[in-house]
Amino acid sequence: YPAHRDAKAALRWVFANANNYKINTNYITVGGGSAGAMTAVGIGISTEEDYKNEININEDNTLSTTHLEESYQVKTILDFWGAKISLDALEWIYGYSRFNSNNPPLLIVHGTEDTSVPFSNAEELRIIYENTGADYKFHALQGLGHGPWNAMVNGKSLSDLAFDYIVEKQNLIN
């Protein structure tokens, strides 16, 4: 919960300060590995209201600096050996799924022998994206475990794979 709340506050800060730092907010990607991927999936797919209004400024005065009025939009999500656990919690609390055909494109990369975050978590996200019709790409890292940052997919490093995915999905090169 605190990680998601803080990450959403950080995104609102980026959007609130975009002009000061010359940030083009039309090209925002969130991503990470393991817990970072779980946070990225959570903030990329949950609604802007999730993790925002469950406490108020009187209960936590630090909220006054988190640009609660600001809106943001995630364009792509990078999930390296993550899961949708935070979205499961929201569904359990509020009674509806956040997944739909308008979710940002999702790159899923996961080791088939991951003992920290089971590979079944990646398969579950893939199935959800297939069922909703949202755009995704899935790479199973055969025989690899948790966090193999040096892995290669079709001759590409994971950083190159992520870069190419962002470029393709956000139409950065015509």
Side-chain angles (χ1 to χ4, degrees):
Y1 165 77
H4 288 74
R5 189 171 150 213
D6 290 350
K8 284 176 168 272
L11 272 175
R12 291 190 304 268
W13 185 92
V14 167
F15 275 72
N17 290 281
N19 288 334
N20 297 339
Y21 294 98
K22 297 179 176 45
I23 298 169
N24 186 336
T25 58
N26 292 317
Y27 303 101
I28 299 296
T29 295
V30 295
S34 192
M38 291 176 196
T39 302
V41 169
I43 64 174
I45 294 174
S46 65
T47 70
E48 286 187 50
E49 298 307 311
D50 292 330
Y51 304 106
K52 181 178 174 183
N53 297 317
E54 61 281 348
I55 58 176
N56 62 47
I57 290 178
N58 294 330
E59 295 168 312
D60 181 355
N61 66 359
T62 64
L63 290 174
S64 64
T65 64
T66 64
H67 302 279
L68 291 170
E69 74 290 346
E70 194 65 47
S71 184
Y72 65 86
Q73 185 177 17
V74 171
K75 300 295 184 173
T76 47
I77 304 168
L78 306 176
D79 167 16
F80 294 95
W81 37 93
K84 66 177 190 73
I85 191 166
S86 63
L87 297 163
D88 291 340
L90 288 173
E91 186 172 348
W92 181 77
I93 293 166
Y94 298 109
Y96 70 93
S97 174
R98 292 343 190 234
F99 290 101
N100 62 61
S101 61
N102 295 319
N103 289 139
L106 173 66
L107 174 66
I108 305 166
V109 180
H110 210 111
T112 59
E113 301 301 317
D114 191 335
T115 58
S116 297
V117 180
F119 181 69
S120 59
N121 287 284
E123 292 176 310
E124 187 177 19
L125 271 172
R126 177 185 52 81
I127 290 167
I128 290 169
Y129 258 66
E130 280 179 0
N131 289 339
T132 63
D135 195 357
Y136 76 96
K137 190 149 215 163
F138 182 80
H139 294 286
L141 303 176
Q142 294 299 321
L144 296 180
H146 192 72
W149 285 109
N150 60 346
M152 302 290 282
V153 175
N154 300 325
K156 291 186 180 184
S157 69
L158 297 186
S159 59
D160 287 343
L161 189 73
F163 179 81
D164 291 349
Y165 187 76
I166 294 167
V167 167
E168 175 191 344
K169 296 305 170 185
Q170 294 190 25
N171 297 314
L172 296 175
I173 298 176
N174 292 335

